[in-house]
Amino acid sequence: MGKEGFLSPKAIGNRIKAKGLQKLRWYCQMCQKQCRDENGFKCHCMSESHQRQLLLASEDPNKIMDNFSQEFKNDFIELIRRRFGTKRVQNNIVYNEYINDREHVHMNSTQWETLTEFTKWLGKEGFCKVDETPKGWYIQYIDRDPETIRRQEELEKKKKQDLDDQERSAKFIEEQVRRGQGGREPEEAPVFTELKRESEEEKITFNLAKGSCSSADGPSKVSVALGPSALKAAGSGKRKDAPSTSEAKEKKKKSALDEIMEMEEQKKRSVRADHWLHPGIVIKVVTKRLGEKYHKKKGVVKEVQDKYTAVVKMIDSGDKLKLDQSHLETVIPAPGKRVLVLNGVYRDTEALLDSIDERKFSATLTLDSGRMKGRRVDGIAYEDFSKMA
């Protein structure tokens, strides 16, 4: 006879048998007790504790069923959200993972008789997207968490902002190409063809005097004929193209006006610098080396070091970064906001943004400080001013 107790072979064998899933027909949902065989289930149904649970359930059976249905629905949806997310998956796969838990709520104690009926109910109530295929029913969880919706909106906003930046860059490049061509239509590229001769014995002759090329019939020597007094002809051609005195006077009159404009342009170029950072302006990080956390994010310049390096405090996270000006770009606010001119004649001057010319990538400003306060300035490039913090 073996020893009786917790560590006896019989007790250990019973615990091993009770570990896994047992037959559903020998499970009592009211008492949450799993029996191993029909005899055990029969004895449990005749027990006093089971009879007491039946009496409690008979007082309000609908409430008991609603509680089991609510618990089953919550656990099932939580499993889909945690395990599969918003992926499309077959309902049998989810259900098989759900019943792996020994303490799960059985479907025969809920208001749904079959898994198909429960799947249709999920789609009707808007918890999941459901669709029927020849392989069975598929479900897809609909995530309505406010944090998830906020992240999705941020991603959409970021994608739209990247597209706007790309379109702006494309327009800027097109404008530069158009300016370089001087408003002319692009010339068609010349088509080069291979030099072909009808016979190998044929030779090509050049007549430099006539400026044309001809081919001699039959084998012959290359003939090169220089016209008489070629240099004199070239010199006379230059003299013929020389402008008259009236045209020269007109050129002088035009050049006097152009000279003033050139002086203004030279004056503007002389005051431009290759550094533009200034404390108190709002900038945007354009480098991807710092990761997605800071890419295309805005910050405020707190300090400028060595003219080309700035200590930037990010607006969203509050982090402080030390960045080179090549990794930053200016921020253009809405019309009516205050800006600071960073380069050119009006450098370090505060102004108000009046309007933006998207075709020329420039803006019109009204100076709000200095001796020229109130003056309206056109054609200030995007990179020459930025929003003030």
Side-chain angles (χ1 to χ4, degrees):
M1 295 292 292
K3 293 183 179 180
E4 296 181 359
F6 182 76
L7 297 178
S8 64
K10 184 177 181 181
I12 294 174
N14 290 338
R15 286 197 298 274
I16 292 173
K17 291 177 184 178
K19 268 188 176 181
L21 294 173
Q22 305 294 323
K23 288 188 177 181
L24 179 60
R25 63 177 178 174
W26 296 332
Y27 181 80
C28 177
Q29 184 67 59
M30 286 297 304
C31 303
Q32 296 183 358
K33 180 175 176 60
Q34 176 70 57
C35 301
R36 288 200 301 273
D37 53 22
E38 187 176 358
N39 185 40
F41 185 70
K42 184 179 178 181
C43 293
H44 169 72
C45 290
M46 293 187 298
S47 64
E48 184 181 355
S49 61
H50 180 75
Q51 297 295 329
R52 192 162 48 246
Q53 288 291 338
L54 289 180
L55 290 174
L56 292 174
S58 63
E59 295 177 0
D60 193 355
N62 292 330
K63 181 179 179 182
I64 300 297
M65 182 178 290
D66 290 342
N67 290 338
F68 285 139
S69 301
Q70 184 70 19
E71 186 176 353
F72 177 82
K73 185 260 296 182
N74 291 339
D75 294 343
F76 194 89
I77 291 179
E78 179 64 21
L79 175 64
I80 299 175
R81 186 189 66 81
R82 186 181 65 252
R83 174 69 175 81
F84 301 100
T86 56
K87 294 180 181 178
R88 183 173 174 268
V89 64
Q90 196 172 10
N91 59 353
N92 278 325
I93 296 176
V94 183
Y95 184 72
N96 288 334
E97 289 200 17
Y98 174 74
I99 63 176
N100 282 335
D101 183 13
R102 278 192 68 197
E103 305 299 330
H104 74 274
V105 178
H106 291 75
M107 185 174 285
N108 58 3
S109 62
T110 65
Q111 64 185 18
W112 306 286
E113 295 182 359
T114 61
L115 181 60
T116 300
E117 184 180 350
F118 176 65
T119 303
K120 292 180 180 178
W121 183 86
L122 287 177
K124 183 179 179 182
E125 295 296 324
F127 293 104
C128 300
K129 295 179 181 178
V130 299
D131 59 308
E132 186 180 11
T133 65
K135 295 183 179 180
W137 285 87
Y138 282 81
I139 56 179
Q140 184 178 2
Y141 177 66
I142 301 175
D143 195 352
R144 290 190 173 88
D145 184 27
E147 184 66 21
T148 305
I149 295 174
R150 187 184 63 81
R151 286 199 301 268
Q152 291 177 353
E153 290 178 352
E154 287 182 355
L155 289 175
E156 292 295 332
K157 187 177 180 181
K158 182 180 177 183
K159 288 180 181 178
K160 185 178 180 182
Q161 188 176 8
D162 292 341
L163 289 176
D164 292 343
D165 293 340
Q166 292 176 4
E167 291 177 359
R168 184 183 299 176
S169 300
K171 288 182 180 178
F172 180 74
I173 293 172
E174 291 177 1
E175 181 68 17
Q176 294 297 326
V177 171
R178 191 183 65 79
R179 289 179 181 178
Q181 293 177 350
R184 299 189 306 271
E185 293 294 330
E187 297 180 357
E188 295 183 358
V191 180
F192 299 97
T193 58
E194 185 180 356
L195 179 62
K196 295 181 180 180
R197 291 185 290 181
E198 296 179 358
S199 63
E200 295 182 357
E201 296 179 354
E202 182 181 357
K203 293 185 179 181
I204 300 174
T205 60
F206 297 94
N207 193 339
L208 298 180
K210 297 180 180 180
S212 61
C213 58
S214 62
S215 58
D217 296 334
S220 62
K221 295 182 180 179
V222 177
S223 60
V224 179
L226 292 176
S229 63
L231 295 177
K232 291 181 180 180
S236 62
K238 288 184 180 179
R239 284 193 296 272
K240 288 180 182 179
D241 294 339
S244 60
T245 55
S246 60
E247 291 178 355
K249 289 181 180 179
E250 289 180 2
K251 278 194 174 182
K252 287 182 180 179
K253 290 180 181 179
K254 291 181 181 179
S255 62
L257 297 174
D258 294 338
E259 188 178 351
I260 298 174
M261 297 177 66
E262 289 178 2
M263 290 176 62
E264 291 291 332
E265 291 293 332
Q266 291 177 0
K267 184 179 179 182
K268 290 183 179 179
R269 294 194 197 101
S270 63
V271 296
R272 291 190 64 84
D274 57 350
H275 58 88
W276 53 269
L277 292 174
H278 195 283
I281 63 171
V282 180
I283 49 82
K284 183 189 293 184
V285 180
V286 295
T287 181
K288 294 184 178 179
R289 297 180 181 177
L290 302 177
E292 295 295 331
K293 181 179 179 182
Y294 300 112
H295 181 57
K296 296 293 183 181
K297 300 296 183 181
K298 296 179 182 179
V300 180
V301 177
K302 294 296 183 181
E303 182 183 353
V304 179
Q305 300 177 358
D306 301 329
K307 296 182 181 181
Y308 304 97
T309 306
V311 177
V312 180
K313 183 178 181 181
M314 306 306 296
I315 296 176
D316 292 342
S317 60
D319 300 339
K320 285 191 175 182
L321 307 175
K322 190 174 182 181
L323 301 169
D324 188 80
Q325 73 171 10
S326 60
H327 297 157
L328 306 172
E329 71 175 8
T330 58
V331 174
I332 302 171
K337 300 293 184 179
R338 296 185 66 83
V339 297
L340 183 68
V341 183
L342 305 175
N343 217 333
V345 181
Y346 309 105
R347 186 186 182 96
D348 299 336
T349 304
E350 297 181 8
L352 295 176
L353 179 59
D354 288 343
S355 61
I356 298 174
D357 190 349
E358 296 182 356
R359 296 181 59 186
K360 296 183 178 180
F361 302 95
S362 61
T364 301
L365 307 180
T366 300
L367 304 182
D368 198 38
S369 65
R371 293 180 297 175
M372 298 185 180
K373 182 177 180 180
R375 182 175 180 179
R376 186 183 176 91
V377 184
D378 298 330
I380 303 297
Y382 285 165
E383 60 269 17
D384 289 346
F385 70 94
S386 184
K387 179 182 178 182
M388 295 185 63

